[in-house]
Amino acid sequence: MNEYKLQGLTCGNCAREMEERINKLENGDGSRILYNSSKLVVSEGVDMGQVEKILSSDGAAIIKENQHFHPDHTPEHSQSSNDKMKILIGISAIIFFSAIYVDTQLNNLVPVIMYLTAAATSGYLIFIKGFKNLIELKFNIDTLMTLALIGAFSIGEWKEGTLVAILFGINELLEGMGMEKARKSMEELLKVAPKEAILIENETERIVPIRSLRAGNLVLVKSGQKIPSDGVIVSGRSSVNEAAITGEAMPVEKETNEIVFGGSINNEGVLKVRISKEYKDSSLAKILHLVEEAQETKTPTEQFINRFAKYYTPIIMLISMLVMIAPPLLFNGEWGPWFYQGLAVLIVGCPCALILSSPIAIVSGIARNAKNGILIKGGVYLEQLGKVDTIAFDKTGTLTKGHPYVEKMCVYDEGSFFKIAGSIERTSSHPIAKAVMEKISEQNLTLEEPDEISTIPGQGVYAVISGQSYRVGNEKSITFSLPIEVSEDIASLKDEGYTLVIVSSEEKVLGLFGITDEIREESKGIISKIYAAGIKNAVMLTGDHNKTAEKVSKQIGLTDYFAGLLPHEKVAKVKELTANGKVAMVGDGINDAPALATADLGIAMGKGTDSAIETADIVLMQDHLGKLPSAINISNRVNTIIKLNITLALGLKLIALLLTIPGLLTLWIAILSDMGATIIVTLISLTVMFGEKRQVTD
């Protein structure tokens, strides 16, 4: 498929009709006009001459071929087109008001010529397209407006016909500016892509385009520069702004052997980075590509609107004909007034405000979330997020930090407990041993080297220190009868959901460590905020044992939990939950992939990892849940705005149509009903871009 950037694409309904015509060309099947991003995608075998002819019939044109669209390309054609339209409308308005004055002074052809000049100045493109459409028997808003204006001028309504032409020009301008505002919000995201890099070869430096970089290349990143692609720091230390990837404004300290993301900014110092991926495979490139694609996916609401628009205009044309002929033929009405009313009804047939009711809000919502570090892969997922009533969370690494720590201890021999445990566990790489060592490091002890040490499978570690035998392990490591006090403490810790580490000699227990996975500081606050955002149920799915799950659930305020689940059992539980409502599953995007895919909506936490980006429908680019409530609120807002927009777009047109019953509908009221709807729909949709400045991170 070939991809082209377009100019002059200001009408959503026109874009839909052009796409249908291109699809009818030989080899044109599957071609798409991406209205939101103003692009054309066509297959290799399409006759581009025919394509350009179809585009030009609606005032659109190809401005640059782009086999692989580059984010640096930010065309100014739409802006210059808007500026030209503003000038023409301004000139037209001056001529129009001058004609009104002249009309009061002279009663001849001069004001008529002035009215026609004013109408032509602001609407000549409409007339050209309208006449072409009439010849092809193609009926869209340009055709309807051309017919209405010809009709108005034919019955001597010079002033009103001209006013309609000017108002329609303003309407088209505002519609184009509204969509362009949404597009620019997306283009601002695309500008974060770096353009050049300083390549180090044979100890010499030279500036190269980032697209020429290959895995293994060494690059120099100076203070204030963008890191060109994903890589590993070879030398240097600095704080790095990763907002382009994660949406987090706070810089992250980086040093040798740590991973960095392309598009992040080196705040100070000089870094040498070994590139691990070509730019096109980097996290940033994937994010930008997915964000750009996301704005073009059609939501169920948009699909319904597009189907409705196909039938709406023909129905309005039929109503217009009935208004023109039915009253005079059946009820002895006057032909002139009812012909005029029918012309006004034609203008009401424009579905532009209805077509605009969804895409600007969707693009604004996706762009807003992307700036917050929330990658939503399509408008359909943005819409679905606002309909979710249950969120299922994985525990480890999602609600908890994913690494154990010592939360509780029972010490029976303070002189030996820490020293023996530390001497045995310090050589182990097991996560639980590391948790024990973190606690022991607080004691500032001098640890001994064991004379002998061995692992006993299923029990723990056996060691000989200073000629004495010791064990660190679970209950199975105990070879003697336990005192009642110790037995009670063990039972109590197990009931509280702790994993036990027992330190003992051959004769007695020296102490107990109660190990747990540390709950993320933000988890409790996040759960309360998602309830406030409209989520009814927050549940946890975990493979951990029941007591641990119960403890975590109570501490952070979940509505329910399901423990001891294997991966396939998590999938079954998600299916069970989806039978009772819309369910989103939140996990780390790796081991939760089956459950993420099964849920109505998969949400992964990834901080830019490939697996997270590829697995889920929505990716939280941070390594915490802090932005999840914000994403839900934005989705709710977008869904509410779309419903309001549809109601307003149809409501204003219905009011206009009802005015035909008492014969009160005029041409300017008809155009204002569409213009008013377009302005309101556009302005309301753009509000998604603003508000809620403070992001949730607690």
Side-chain angles (χ1 to χ4, degrees):
M1 302 294 280
N2 290 331
E3 193 171 287
Y4 303 87
K5 195 72 181 174
L6 300 178
Q7 65 172 326
L9 196 63
T10 58
C11 169
N13 191 48
C14 304
R16 177 183 61 80
E17 291 177 344
M18 285 190 291
E19 181 182 289
E20 290 175 356
R21 293 170 65 192
I22 293 171
N23 271 278
K24 290 176 182 177
L25 296 176
E26 185 177 357
N27 300 319
D29 190 39
S31 298
R32 293 182 298 154
I33 289 182
L34 310 180
Y35 176 60
N36 294 351
S37 52
S38 197
K39 291 196 298 182
L40 167 69
V41 180
V42 292
S43 59
E44 293 280 354
V46 175
D47 182 344
M48 289 308 297
Q50 291 294 318
V51 171
E52 291 185 14
K53 186 176 178 182
I54 291 171
L55 293 171
S56 65
S57 69
D58 274 298
I62 294 170
I63 57 175
K64 184 179 179 182
E65 181 173 344
N66 238 338
Q67 296 283 354
H68 300 287
F69 180 63
H70 194 280
D72 299 340
H73 179 60
T74 309
E76 300 298 329
H77 297 272
S78 297
Q79 182 61 47
S80 61
S81 177
N82 287 337
D83 290 341
K84 179 182 176 182
M85 193 65 187
K86 289 175 188 175
I87 293 169
L88 290 175
I89 289 172
I91 294 170
S92 182
I94 292 170
I95 297 172
F96 173 70
F97 287 113
S98 299
I100 292 175
Y101 174 76
V102 171
D103 202 6
T104 61
Q105 307 297 317
L106 302 172
N107 189 16
N108 55 30
L109 284 176
V110 174
V112 173
I113 293 170
M114 293 178 72
Y115 283 130
L116 289 173
T117 303
T121 303
S122 63
Y124 73 96
L125 289 175
I126 299 165
F127 303 144
I128 292 170
K129 289 190 284 185
F131 282 123
K132 286 181 179 178
N133 293 339
L134 272 175
I135 294 169
E136 298 173 8
L137 296 179
K138 173 188 168 188
F139 294 94
N140 61 12
I141 182 56
D142 299 313
T143 319
L144 299 180
M145 285 298 300
T146 301
L147 286 172
L149 291 174
I150 290 172
F153 292 146
S154 69
I155 59 175
E157 293 289 346
W158 307 106
K159 184 192 300 181
E160 198 157 349
T162 304
L163 178 60
V164 165
I166 294 172
L167 289 175
F168 185 72
I170 295 172
N171 186 52
E172 290 281 280
L173 174 64
L174 292 172
E175 183 179 333
M177 289 173 64
M179 196 65 232
E180 195 59 31
K181 177 72 175 175
R183 287 174 186 151
K184 281 187 176 179
S185 70
M186 195 64 67
E187 287 169 356
E188 286 299 317
L189 290 173
L190 304 181
K191 285 180 181 178
V192 302
K195 300 176 182 65
E196 296 176 327
I198 302 173
L199 178 65
I200 302 176
E201 283 183 324
N202 301 322
E203 298 185 359
T204 61
E205 301 173 8
R206 63 189 177 95
I207 298 174
V208 298
I210 60 165
R211 293 186 178 277
S212 68
L213 293 178
R214 297 291 178 264
N217 285 163
L218 184 65
V219 297
L220 184 72
V221 186
K222 297 178 181 179
S223 176
Q225 290 183 335
K226 292 178 181 177
I227 295 169
S229 189
D230 295 359
V232 178
I233 296 175
V234 174
S235 68
R237 181 173 183 171
S238 180
S239 65
V240 175
N241 184 340
E242 295 182 339
I245 303 294
T246 67
E248 301 280 21
M250 293 299 293
V252 181
E253 294 296 326
K254 298 282 185 177
E255 57 185 28
T256 304
N257 295 325
E258 289 196 312
I259 293 171
V260 288
F261 297 114
S264 51
I265 300 171
N266 178 20
N267 285 333
E268 73 269 342
V270 177
L271 297 176
K272 287 185 180 179
V273 177
R274 182 76 64 186
I275 299 299
S276 58
K277 296 176 183 176
E278 293 182 30
Y279 173 75
K280 65 183 177 65
D281 297 321
S282 69
S283 299
L284 179 63
K286 287 182 178 180
I287 291 167
L288 296 179
H289 177 68
L290 287 169
V291 168
E292 196 179 19
E293 280 194 339
Q295 60 183 317
E296 299 301 341
T297 59
K298 292 288 186 285
T299 68
T301 302
E302 286 182 292
Q303 290 170 352
F304 167 76
I305 289 171
N306 285 340
R307 286 195 302 269
F308 179 80
K310 281 186 178 182
Y311 302 104
Y312 175 75
T313 299
I315 290 171
I316 291 294
M317 289 181 67
L318 179 60
I319 293 173
S320 174
M321 292 294 294
L322 290 173
V323 169
M324 286 181 182
I325 63 175
L329 289 178
L330 301 178
F331 306 106
N332 296 319
E334 294 184 38
W335 284 97
W338 285 107
F339 178 76
Y340 175 84
Q341 290 272 301
L343 292 176
V345 171
L346 269 183
I347 296 174
V348 179
C350 169
C352 292
L354 184 63
I355 295 290
L356 272 183
S357 61
S358 180
I360 294 180
I362 291 290
V363 172
S364 298
I366 290 173
R368 175 75 187 282
N369 276 304
K371 288 177 181 176
N372 288 343
I374 303 161
L375 176 58
I376 298 182
K377 292 187 179 180
V380 62
Y381 305 122
L382 181 68
E383 187 175 278
Q384 278 187 335
L385 182 59
K387 297 177 180 178
V388 165
D389 50 34
T390 299
I391 298 183
F393 295 90
D394 171 50
K395 179 181 78 71
T396 306
T398 303
L399 296 172
T400 64
K401 290 185 176 179
H403 59 83
Y405 82 110
V406 176
E407 186 173 80
K408 201 166 185 179
M409 297 183 298
C410 296
V411 182
Y412 309 117
D413 187 336
E414 193 166 345
S416 301
F417 174 56
F418 293 110
K419 189 173 182 178
I420 296 301
S423 296
I424 295 174
E425 294 285 58
R426 67 177 180 172
T427 59
S428 175
S429 60
H430 193 283
I432 288 180
K434 290 182 177 179
V436 169
M437 289 308 299
E438 283 181 17
K439 192 68 180 177
I440 291 172
S441 65
E442 299 172 5
Q443 306 296 318
N444 295 318
L445 297 173
T446 301
L447 302 177
E448 297 184 40
E449 188 72 31
D451 303 321
E452 180 186 337
I453 189 165
S454 60
T455 300
I456 304 173
Q459 293 186 16
V461 180
Y462 167 82
V464 176
I465 301 173
S466 300
Q468 295 290 321
S469 298
Y470 297 97
R471 285 178 171 82
V472 175
N474 56 29
E475 289 176 89
K476 294 178 183 178
S477 67
I478 303 300
T479 58
F480 51 87
S481 297
L482 294 173
I484 294 175
E485 177 193 2
V486 175
S487 296
E488 288 177 348
D489 286 342
I490 289 173
S492 175
L493 289 173
K494 287 170 66 178
D495 284 343
E496 292 177 43
Y498 291 103
T499 296
L500 288 182
V501 173
I502 303 173
V503 183
S504 65
S505 65
E506 292 290 355
E507 301 89 19
K508 65 177 182 177
V509 174
L510 306 178
L512 310 173
F513 288 105
I515 310 288
T516 189
D517 188 359
E518 188 175 2
I519 295 173
R520 290 176 178 269
E521 295 87 350
E522 76 273 9
S523 290
K524 185 174 182 179
I526 296 304
I527 297 301
S528 65
K529 285 180 173 67
I530 68 169
Y531 289 145
I535 301 299
K536 296 177 182 176
N537 303 300
V539 303
M540 180 172 65
L541 309 181
T542 179
D544 216 332
H545 54 78
N546 192 70
K547 287 294 182 182
T548 301
E550 181 183 16
K551 177 184 175 184
V552 173
S553 178
K554 284 182 178 178
Q555 284 187 340
I556 64 178
L558 298 175
T559 52
D560 207 348
Y561 66 91
F562 303 94
L565 300 178
L566 297 172
H568 72 276
E569 292 173 323
K570 283 187 179 183
V571 171
K573 183 56 67 176
V574 169
K575 287 181 179 178
E576 184 182 318
L577 292 170
T578 56
N580 300 313
K582 286 277 185 185
V583 177
M585 174 71 193
V586 183
D588 61 14
I590 303 171
N591 55 7
D592 294 307
L596 289 171
T598 303
D600 295 306
L601 202 62
I603 303 174
M605 299 191 332
K607 201 169 185 179
T609 59
D610 291 344
S611 56
I613 292 173
E614 291 165 8
T615 301
D617 307 313
I618 296 174
V619 182
L620 307 177
M621 300 306 292
Q622 314 83 21
D623 58 356
H624 59 75
L625 296 171
K627 302 291 181 73
L628 181 57
S630 173
I632 296 170
N633 284 327
I634 290 171
S635 178
N636 289 336
R637 192 171 173 186
V638 167
N639 286 350
T640 300
I641 283 172
I642 290 172
K643 290 174 185 175
L644 178 61
N645 285 348
I646 293 171
T647 303
L648 287 169
L650 291 177
L652 287 174
K653 289 182 181 295
L654 179 60
I655 292 170
L657 289 174
L658 290 175
L659 289 175
T660 60
I661 297 173
L664 297 177
L665 183 62
T666 63
L667 290 174
W668 66 269
I669 289 178
I671 189 63
L672 280 178
S673 73
D674 183 68
M675 181 179 173
T678 299
I679 294 171
I680 294 170
V681 161
T682 300
L683 292 177
I684 292 176
S685 295
L686 289 174
T687 62
V688 177
M689 305 284 289
F690 310 103
E692 202 182 18
K693 299 264 185 187
R694 185 182 65 83
Q695 296 303 317
V696 182
T697 54
D698 54 328

